[in-house]
Amino acid sequence: MEVVIVADAAAQGELVASAVADLIARKPEALFGVATGSTPLPVYQALAAKVAAGQVDVGRLKVCQLDEYVGLPAGHPESYREVLKREVLAPLGIGDSAFLGPDGGAEDLPGACAAYEQQLADAGGVDLQLLGIGTDGHIGFNEPVSSLASRTRIKTLTERTRVDNARFFNGLDEVPRHVITQGIGTILQARHLVLLATGAGKAEAVAATVEGPVSSMVPASALQLHPHATVVVDEAAAQQLKLSDYYKATFASKPAWQGI
Ligand code: F6R
């Protein structure tokens, strides 16, 4: 995998938004997989600025969700569908009809998972999937010991993830226990995976992902199996990487036009 160490979240946002813009220029009807959480926000802001400046035309772009809470009432402001409408679709000027996501309120949840897999396949697969990483190494909501071959399914959140996400709710009790998430096998089918991490709190998970063994204990380590995975981290999140000088030298010697 390619590891890119950037100065800060703003530089990360600019670099990754440029990669998304390049994809859209090459393939205007691309399917862009987005993640929720705090980390990708600078990417969405930088991309929205490019759209506002007329540098990127998202008129044919499709956007899809990585995961969703189960059981929140429709329209709940912290359901990932609503979060993504607010943070991605509205700023980019993309309508609901170009947005794919699983139905976390479905009565038949296994059916909703299977339907979402089918939707992604029918849309031609994900071209670029943004990923954050949990402090426990999760991607999407694939918690430790998730099957590396898993497909979209229902998962139970670890207590650690519920505590991490309590900041978005009025306390821990409100954080749902169950989610629908694209499986690791599903995520690995995207053509380009871009994993983002910022801050020292992610340093241990990043080191295990990049330099540790492939293990279901660290779901993000499955990225080592992908032919085009890019990990973009700030200095703080990179601080436990053993080969950081090598990653920096490799990226610095890349032609500027090549991107990530
Ligand atoms: C969200 C998701 C999660 C987050 C991860 C990091 O859709 O899939 O894996 O990316 O929990 O969250 P932040 O960025 O808030 O630290």
Side-chain angles (χ1 to χ4, degrees):
M1 65 177 72
E2 179 177 35
V3 181
V4 184
I5 301 173
V6 292
D8 53 28
Q12 185 185 57
E14 201 46 55
L15 179 74
V16 176
S18 295
V20 178
D22 289 349
L23 166 68
I24 298 168
R26 260 189 343 263
K27 186 175 180 185
E29 73 288 8
L31 180 55
F32 176 32
V34 291
T36 44
S38 310
T39 317
L41 295 178
V43 175
Y44 305 141
Q45 284 153 10
L47 191 58
K50 289 181 191 301
V51 171
Q55 295 162 359
V56 179
D57 179 358
V58 292
R60 294 170 62 196
L61 187 69
K62 292 165 292 181
V63 175
C64 67
Q65 237 175 298
L66 188 55
D67 43 17
E68 181 58 279
Y69 289 118
V70 163
L72 292 181
H76 188 290
E78 291 309 325
S79 76
Y80 280 178
R81 188 172 185 81
E82 291 303 315
V83 171
L84 290 168
K85 277 192 199 173
R86 254 186 343 258
E87 290 171 353
V88 182
L89 298 191
L92 295 182
I94 295 176
D96 280 11
S97 61
F99 185 36
L100 312 180
D103 181 0
E107 257 178 49
D108 172 14
L109 287 169
C113 295
Y116 189 46
E117 281 277 335
Q118 193 59 51
Q119 265 190 303
L120 293 173
D122 291 347
V126 178
D127 288 290
L128 187 155
Q129 178 66 56
L130 281 188
L131 299 166
I133 182 169
T135 53
D136 62 2
H138 71 224
I139 48 172
F141 275 135
N142 294 283
E143 297 284 29
V145 307
S146 286
S147 157
L148 302 186
S150 50
R151 311 302 306 189
T152 301
R153 69 213 183 291
I154 305 156
K155 286 294 289 181
T156 304
L157 294 179
T158 61
E159 205 55 13
R160 184 167 175 185
T161 299
R162 292 185 65 243
V163 169
D164 284 347
N165 286 6
R167 68 190 191 280
F168 297 114
F169 293 86
N170 301 312
L172 186 58
D173 286 353
E174 277 189 19
V175 184
R177 292 177 187 280
H178 296 101
V179 291
I180 292 179
T181 182
Q182 285 189 32
I184 298 175
T186 316
I187 291 169
L188 290 176
Q189 277 185 328
R191 295 178 186 90
H192 185 192
L193 297 177
V194 180
L195 184 138
L196 311 171
T198 46
K202 299 289 175 71
E204 192 182 341
V206 167
T209 295
V210 174
E211 296 176 345
V214 174
S215 163
S216 64
M217 274 301 281
V218 182
S221 66
L223 266 67
Q224 294 178 30
L225 302 171
H226 194 280
H228 190 189
T230 311
V231 174
V232 187
V233 292
D234 70 355
E235 292 280 355
Q239 68 192 9
Q240 291 188 32
L241 290 172
K242 294 192 182 79
L243 301 183
S244 54
D245 288 345
Y246 172 64
Y247 307 137
K248 285 180 183 172
T250 303
F251 190 65
S253 65
K254 230 179 148 177
W257 53 265
Q258 208 173 351
I260 56 174

